Amino acid sequence: MASGGEQKVVLITGCSSGIGLRIAVLLARDELKRYHVIATMRDLRKKDRLVEAAGDTYEKTLTLLSLDVCSDDSVRQCIDSVKDRHIDILINNAGVGLLGPVESISMDDMKKVFETNFFGTVRVIKEVMPDMKKRRAGHIIVMSSVMGLQGVVFNDVYTASKFAIEGFCESMAVQLLKFNVKLSLIEPGPVHTEFETKMMEEVAKMEYPGADADTVRYFKDVYIPSSIDIFEALGQTPEDIAKCTKKVIESSRPRFRNLTNSLYTPIVAMKYADETGGLSVHTFYNLLFNFGSLMHITMSILKCLTCSCLRRRTISPD
Ligand SMILES: NC(=O)C1=CN([C@@H]2O[C@H](COP(=O)(O)OP(=O)(O)OC[C@H]3O[C@@H](n4cnc5c(N)ncnc54)[C@H](OP(=O)(O)O)[C@@H]3O)[C@@H](O)[C@H]2O)C=CC1
Ligand SMILES: CC1=C(/C=C/C(C)=C/C=C/C(C)=C/C=O)C(C)(C)CCC1
């Protein structure tokens, strides 16, 4: 496995689709060949899309390994098979969504989300970080979300898993700084990937047992249409997120937090503008229940609010 010269070894989790696949391909195609990408996925039978997108970089600047973030053995075997266990940049991307009224979601399904999004990320960091600390070098990237900063109705458990990872990283970053290991969170808003399609398919199938009729109605007839509007108005592409991630990796002084979508800056700003939390809760309530039908207009207002001073706080793909 190539890790010589100035080439940086980048290991990415969850590369069978979406953001992980795009980051892997973008870095493997780097014109200066600065990266050797180890693209990992839990099921190598899903490799075709990545292999096709990687084109002639496959088995040159991009190699494939199997890694399931939910398995101790899989993570250890994968990292052990990397030459000298040397990873310069670790990109924790693997994640799953979960949507719907909490009353209708089983505890097992909730635990699976935490097992992947929180413990999965921690498991991989725990395996890779000690070598980085020893070498006094390395960069850990974590694919968080705007939902790691601001709760979104009916995304309660997914949001909680991303808040958990934000808290973990906020704490780790201080210690890692002492070892010259960098840690950066990427915080995308909605991105058009299978994440969105998988969740919509689930919603179409689900009966929502345990949830009362009003709650199901608010979810299906109020939240879902607004969410579709938001995806349409604010959605980024996985390529956008890959470009933002590459910028963070290549920055001489990478930021800890990196929102990718400037249209979300006002939402996050609101949280810090009122420490009681009332402003966020009531604004979200009004947006959803009182101005739901005006969501398109709301989106335009959000766009206007995103002046250049707010834009500076995000990382743009260009
Ligand atoms: N799309 C969006 O709107 C946003 C997504 N994010 C985050 O971005 C990340 C990538 O999501 P996205 O590309 O959108 O969605 P996708 O569903 O396209 O990709 C998720 C990837 O994670 C993998 N994965 C799931 N479970 C495991 C596991 N146990 N071990 C290894 N890999 C696993 C999936 O593999 P498999 O094919 O085997 O299931 C897949 O490759 C996630 O962390 C998500 O939370 C953040 C903000 C917004
Ligand atoms: C902003 C906003 C909404 C929805 C936000 C959505 C749908 C965000 C999706 C983010 C994703 C998918 C992140 C993944 O990690 C509502 C509640 C409809 C109305 C109030 C304002």
Side-chain angles (χ1 to χ4, degrees), residues 65-81:
L65 286 179
S66 154
L67 187 151
D68 179 346
V69 300
C70 293
S71 154
D72 288 348
D73 287 348
S74 166
V75 170
R76 192 167 318 110
Q77 276 167 22
C78 177
I79 306 303
D80 280 348
S81 71

Side-chain angles (χ1 to χ4, degrees), residues 139 182 184 247-256 258 315:
H139 195 171
K182 295 171 215 148
S184 303
K247 265 194 180 175
V248 172
I249 290 169
E250 290 171 0
S251 160
S252 54
R253 297 187 66 192
R255 295 177 190 174
F256 174 61
N258 299 275
I315 184 122

